[in-house]
Each structure stands twice: as structure tokens, then as C-alpha cells.
Amino acid sequence: MTTYEKIQEDIKDAMWSKNNVKRDCLRSLVSEIKNQTINAGKELTDDIVIKCVQKSVKQHNDSIEQFKTAKRDDLALKEMEEKTYIEAYLPKMLDEDETRKVIDNILQTVEPLKKNMGTIMKLLPKEVDRGMASRILKEVLK
């Protein structure tokens, strides 16, 4: 079962359990996935789905920050709830030690210079948190 099919099944389950927040959140995610697929002009793949999920999680994080600074805790809680539903579709991310090992392996094939940071980031597998990898690379590539 692909990630997209899993999302579709979870929408049905949310409908049956009358979980409107989850249902609406996942419908919005499906809409974004369909838009990205149409815009890319490609077939639906798990990579497109994962990129859309990552984008949605990032948007929810930004919204949570903004709501907290505006002292709108009720809206921040709603965003956090939606984010937990969406995060379930992300692949398991590597922890910091595993990320360092992956970066060390890549640095054996690519010259460890700051100007090669973009190349190194492109070689990282999708299970690596990009923010953490960027921070580690900045430490290593001084």
C-alpha cells in the first residue's frame, strides 16, 4: 500500500469515526498532493507525497509559531493536532549519530569544502532531517 493509498484509507476511517479535524486535514493534504502531481506533470510517486507531507508539516510549524506569538493558544493547539496527523506519513528520520555517519560517508566521496554543501545535501537520503544535516555540515565544513 502506497502512502497516498494509506492517506485515502485514513480519510475514510476519520469519516466513520466522525473525526472532522483529521478528515479535513487529510483532505487538504490530498488536495496538495494532487496539485503537485498535476503541476509536475508526472505520475504520483511516494517521493511527491513525502515532499508534500514535509511541506505541510513545515507550514504547520510556522503557523504554530505565529499563533503562539499572537497568544492564540486555541489555534496553536488545533495546528498541533493537525500536525500530529500529518507527521504519521513521514518516513522514520535518522537520529543525529546516524546522520553524522551518513555525512561522513558522503564526505569520503565529495571534497569537504563549504562550496560543495549543496552537492552534499543533494546526496543525502530522504530519511535525513535536512535542518539537522545542514547544522552538522556547517560544523564540519568550517
Side-chain angles (χ1 to χ4, degrees):
M1 178 179 278
T2 65
T3 307
Y4 183 76
E5 291 169 346
K6 174 75 172 125
I7 294 170
Q8 293 285 8
E9 287 297 315
D10 288 348
I11 289 173
K12 291 177 189 173
D13 292 343
M15 289 169 141
W16 284 107
S17 64
K18 298 192 186 328
N19 186 342
N20 294 337
V21 175
K22 183 175 183 178
R23 180 200 64 203
D24 295 342
C25 175
L26 295 180
R27 280 183 174 170
S28 172
L29 183 60
V30 166
S31 174
E32 177 64 27
I33 291 168
K34 287 181 180 179
N35 285 338
Q36 290 297 320
T37 305
I38 291 168
N39 290 341
K42 300 177 183 175
E43 281 191 37
L44 180 66
T45 62
D46 262 359
D47 288 339
I48 292 174
V49 173
I50 290 170
K51 284 180 185 176
C52 289
V53 171
Q54 289 171 335
K55 180 181 175 185
S56 182
V57 168
K58 187 175 181 180
Q59 287 174 340
H60 277 76
N61 284 333
D62 292 342
S63 296
I64 291 167
E65 272 184 44
Q66 291 175 1
F67 287 141
K68 284 184 177 180
T69 57
K71 296 183 177 30
R72 292 296 309 264
D73 293 333
D74 55 330
L75 295 174
L77 286 173
K78 182 177 180 278
E79 288 289 323
M80 284 188 255
E81 181 182 1
E82 289 179 2
K83 184 179 129 189
T84 57
Y85 295 137
I86 294 171
E87 283 178 329
Y89 304 104
L90 286 174
K92 181 186 169 288
M93 302 305 259
L94 299 178
D95 64 7
E96 189 167 349
D97 293 333
E98 293 169 332
T99 302
R100 285 186 184 277
K101 288 177 187 174
V102 169
I103 289 173
D104 289 340
N105 289 338
I106 291 173
L107 289 177
Q108 292 174 0
T109 60
V110 177
E111 192 174 357
L113 297 174
K114 202 161 191 114
K115 69 177 185 179
N116 292 337
M117 189 165 169
T119 306
I120 296 167
M121 291 294 284
K122 288 179 184 174
L123 294 173
L124 292 172
K126 61 184 173 190
E127 293 84 19
V128 173
D129 179 18
R130 301 291 186 218
M132 183 190 318
S134 175
R135 183 178 45 81
I136 293 169
L137 278 171
K138 286 177 183 172
E139 291 172 10
V140 173
L141 302 177
K142 287 185 178 179

PDB file of all heavy atoms in Angstrom, residues 84-98:
ATOM      1  N   THR A  84       0.172  16.402  14.088  1.00  0.00           N
ATOM      2  CA  THR A  84       0.407  15.027  14.524  1.00  0.00           C
ATOM      3  C   THR A  84      -0.206  14.031  13.545  1.00  0.00           C
ATOM      4  O   THR A  84       0.363  12.963  13.305  1.00  0.00           O
ATOM      5  CB  THR A  84      -0.151  14.762  15.934  1.00  0.00           C
ATOM      6  OG1 THR A  84      -1.543  15.055  15.952  1.00  0.00           O
ATOM      7  CG2 THR A  84       0.571  15.580  16.970  1.00  0.00           C
ATOM      8  N   TYR A  85      -1.352  14.392  12.965  1.00  0.00           N
ATOM      9  CA  TYR A  85      -1.971  13.506  11.977  1.00  0.00           C
ATOM     10  C   TYR A  85      -1.111  13.415  10.722  1.00  0.00           C
ATOM     11  O   TYR A  85      -0.957  12.351  10.131  1.00  0.00           O
ATOM     12  CB  TYR A  85      -3.370  14.005  11.596  1.00  0.00           C
ATOM     13  CG  TYR A  85      -4.375  13.965  12.727  1.00  0.00           C
ATOM     14  CD1 TYR A  85      -5.234  15.030  12.938  1.00  0.00           C
ATOM     15  CD2 TYR A  85      -4.472  12.874  13.562  1.00  0.00           C
ATOM     16  CE1 TYR A  85      -6.163  15.003  13.971  1.00  0.00           C
ATOM     17  CE2 TYR A  85      -5.393  12.841  14.600  1.00  0.00           C
ATOM     18  CZ  TYR A  85      -6.237  13.901  14.790  1.00  0.00           C
ATOM     19  OH  TYR A  85      -7.146  13.870  15.813  1.00  0.00           O
ATOM     20  N   ILE A  86      -0.542  14.534  10.313  1.00  0.00           N
ATOM     21  CA  ILE A  86       0.240  14.572   9.075  1.00  0.00           C
ATOM     22  C   ILE A  86       1.595  13.902   9.258  1.00  0.00           C
ATOM     23  O   ILE A  86       2.073  13.193   8.364  1.00  0.00           O
ATOM     24  CB  ILE A  86       0.414  16.038   8.614  1.00  0.00           C
ATOM     25  CG1 ILE A  86      -0.943  16.616   8.227  1.00  0.00           C
ATOM     26  CG2 ILE A  86       1.366  16.129   7.427  1.00  0.00           C
ATOM     27  CD1 ILE A  86      -0.929  18.097   7.971  1.00  0.00           C
ATOM     28  N   GLU A  87       2.221  14.096  10.414  1.00  0.00           N
ATOM     29  CA  GLU A  87       3.548  13.529  10.657  1.00  0.00           C
ATOM     30  C   GLU A  87       3.564  12.006  10.598  1.00  0.00           C
ATOM     31  O   GLU A  87       4.617  11.409  10.365  1.00  0.00           O
ATOM     32  CB  GLU A  87       4.088  13.984  12.015  1.00  0.00           C
ATOM     33  CG  GLU A  87       4.599  15.388  12.023  1.00  0.00           C
ATOM     34  CD  GLU A  87       5.092  15.826  13.394  1.00  0.00           C
ATOM     35  OE1 GLU A  87       4.557  15.354  14.418  1.00  0.00           O
ATOM     36  OE2 GLU A  87       6.002  16.654  13.416  1.00  0.00           O
ATOM     37  N   ALA A  88       2.413  11.395  10.765  1.00  0.00           N
ATOM     38  CA  ALA A  88       2.347   9.940  10.721  1.00  0.00           C
ATOM     39  C   ALA A  88       2.757   9.384   9.361  1.00  0.00           C
ATOM     40  O   ALA A  88       3.136   8.208   9.253  1.00  0.00           O
ATOM     41  CB  ALA A  88       0.934   9.476  11.064  1.00  0.00           C
ATOM     42  N   TYR A  89       2.734  10.207   8.331  1.00  0.00           N
ATOM     43  CA  TYR A  89       3.046   9.745   6.978  1.00  0.00           C
ATOM     44  C   TYR A  89       4.493  10.024   6.569  1.00  0.00           C
ATOM     45  O   TYR A  89       4.906   9.681   5.474  1.00  0.00           O
ATOM     46  CB  TYR A  89       2.090  10.385   5.967  1.00  0.00           C
ATOM     47  CG  TYR A  89       0.667  10.097   6.337  1.00  0.00           C
ATOM     48  CD1 TYR A  89      -0.127  11.074   6.915  1.00  0.00           C
ATOM     49  CD2 TYR A  89       0.129   8.829   6.170  1.00  0.00           C
ATOM     50  CE1 TYR A  89      -1.426  10.801   7.296  1.00  0.00           C
ATOM     51  CE2 TYR A  89      -1.163   8.548   6.552  1.00  0.00           C
ATOM     52  CZ  TYR A  89      -1.930   9.541   7.114  1.00  0.00           C
ATOM     53  OH  TYR A  89      -3.204   9.264   7.509  1.00  0.00           O
ATOM     54  N   LEU A  90       5.259  10.642   7.466  1.00  0.00           N
ATOM     55  CA  LEU A  90       6.671  10.875   7.182  1.00  0.00           C
ATOM     56  C   LEU A  90       7.464   9.602   7.442  1.00  0.00           C
ATOM     57  O   LEU A  90       7.154   8.849   8.367  1.00  0.00           O
ATOM     58  CB  LEU A  90       7.221  11.992   8.078  1.00  0.00           C
ATOM     59  CG  LEU A  90       6.814  13.410   7.731  1.00  0.00           C
ATOM     60  CD1 LEU A  90       7.324  14.372   8.796  1.00  0.00           C
ATOM     61  CD2 LEU A  90       7.334  13.805   6.374  1.00  0.00           C
ATOM     62  N   PRO A  91       8.499   9.354   6.643  1.00  0.00           N
ATOM     63  CA  PRO A  91       9.353   8.199   6.927  1.00  0.00           C
ATOM     64  C   PRO A  91      10.119   8.419   8.224  1.00  0.00           C
ATOM     65  O   PRO A  91      10.315   9.569   8.645  1.00  0.00           O
ATOM     66  CB  PRO A  91      10.294   8.142   5.720  1.00  0.00           C
ATOM     67  CG  PRO A  91      10.281   9.507   5.147  1.00  0.00           C
ATOM     68  CD  PRO A  91       8.935  10.090   5.472  1.00  0.00           C
ATOM     69  N   LYS A  92      10.550   7.347   8.834  1.00  0.00           N
ATOM     70  CA  LYS A  92      11.308   7.451  10.076  1.00  0.00           C
ATOM     71  C   LYS A  92      12.616   8.182   9.774  1.00  0.00           C
ATOM     72  O   LYS A  92      13.369   7.797   8.898  1.00  0.00           O
ATOM     73  CB  LYS A  92      11.615   6.062  10.635  1.00  0.00           C
ATOM     74  CG  LYS A  92      12.371   6.087  11.936  1.00  0.00           C
ATOM     75  CD  LYS A  92      12.768   4.685  12.357  1.00  0.00           C
ATOM     76  CE  LYS A  92      13.738   4.727  13.515  1.00  0.00           C
ATOM     77  NZ  LYS A  92      15.057   5.193  13.127  1.00  0.00           N
ATOM     78  N   MET A  93      12.849   9.269  10.506  1.00  0.00           N
ATOM     79  CA  MET A  93      14.048  10.073  10.297  1.00  0.00           C
ATOM     80  C   MET A  93      15.207   9.509  11.117  1.00  0.00           C
ATOM     81  O   MET A  93      15.009   8.956  12.200  1.00  0.00           O
ATOM     82  CB  MET A  93      13.783  11.521  10.694  1.00  0.00           C
ATOM     83  CG  MET A  93      12.634  12.165   9.929  1.00  0.00           C
ATOM     84  SD  MET A  93      12.837  12.086   8.170  1.00  0.00           S
ATOM     85  CE  MET A  93      13.405  13.712   7.862  1.00  0.00           C
ATOM     86  N   LEU A  94      16.418   9.684  10.577  1.00  0.00           N
ATOM     87  CA  LEU A  94      17.614   9.230  11.274  1.00  0.00           C
ATOM     88  C   LEU A  94      17.932  10.172  12.429  1.00  0.00           C
ATOM     89  O   LEU A  94      17.676  11.371  12.343  1.00  0.00           O
ATOM     90  CB  LEU A  94      18.800   9.196  10.306  1.00  0.00           C
ATOM     91  CG  LEU A  94      18.677   8.259   9.107  1.00  0.00           C
ATOM     92  CD1 LEU A  94      19.912   8.389   8.227  1.00  0.00           C
ATOM     93  CD2 LEU A  94      18.498   6.825   9.544  1.00  0.00           C
ATOM     94  N   ASP A  95      18.519   9.611  13.507  1.00  0.00           N
ATOM     95  CA  ASP A  95      18.909  10.473  14.612  1.00  0.00           C
ATOM     96  C   ASP A  95      20.248  11.148  14.292  1.00  0.00           C
ATOM     97  O   ASP A  95      20.829  10.947  13.223  1.00  0.00           O
ATOM     98  CB  ASP A  95      18.966   9.696  15.929  1.00  0.00           C
ATOM     99  CG  ASP A  95      20.025   8.604  15.943  1.00  0.00           C
ATOM    100  OD1 ASP A  95      20.827   8.514  14.990  1.00  0.00           O
ATOM    101  OD2 ASP A  95      20.057   7.839  16.925  1.00  0.00           O
ATOM    102  N   GLU A  96      20.755  11.951  15.201  1.00  0.00           N
ATOM    103  CA  GLU A  96      21.944  12.766  14.923  1.00  0.00           C
ATOM    104  C   GLU A  96      23.183  11.911  14.657  1.00  0.00           C
ATOM    105  O   GLU A  96      23.967  12.208  13.751  1.00  0.00           O
ATOM    106  CB  GLU A  96      22.208  13.735  16.071  1.00  0.00           C
ATOM    107  CG  GLU A  96      23.292  14.738  15.742  1.00  0.00           C
ATOM    108  CD  GLU A  96      23.355  15.895  16.709  1.00  0.00           C
ATOM    109  OE1 GLU A  96      22.441  16.058  17.526  1.00  0.00           O
ATOM    110  OE2 GLU A  96      24.337  16.642  16.619  1.00  0.00           O
ATOM    111  N   ASP A  97      23.380  10.834  15.430  1.00  0.00           N
ATOM    112  CA  ASP A  97      24.561   9.988  15.225  1.00  0.00           C
ATOM    113  C   ASP A  97      24.538   9.316  13.856  1.00  0.00           C
ATOM    114  O   ASP A  97      25.554   9.270  13.155  1.00  0.00           O
ATOM    115  CB  ASP A  97      24.653   8.925  16.326  1.00  0.00           C
ATOM    116  CG  ASP A  97      24.929   9.523  17.699  1.00  0.00           C
ATOM    117  OD1 ASP A  97      25.544  10.611  17.749  1.00  0.00           O
ATOM    118  OD2 ASP A  97      24.551   8.898  18.706  1.00  0.00           O
ATOM    119  N   GLU A  98      23.375   8.778  13.478  1.00  0.00           N
ATOM    120  CA  GLU A  98      23.255   8.130  12.166  1.00  0.00           C
ATOM    121  C   GLU A  98      23.439   9.149  11.043  1.00  0.00           C
ATOM    122  O   GLU A  98      24.046   8.843  10.012  1.00  0.00           O
ATOM    123  CB  GLU A  98      21.894   7.436  12.050  1.00  0.00           C
ATOM    124  CG  GLU A  98      21.745   6.262  12.991  1.00  0.00           C
ATOM    125  CD  GLU A  98      20.320   5.743  13.069  1.00  0.00           C
ATOM    126  OE1 GLU A  98      19.376   6.536  12.860  1.00  0.00           O
ATOM    127  OE2 GLU A  98      20.156   4.543  13.348  1.00  0.00           O
TER     128      GLU A  98
END
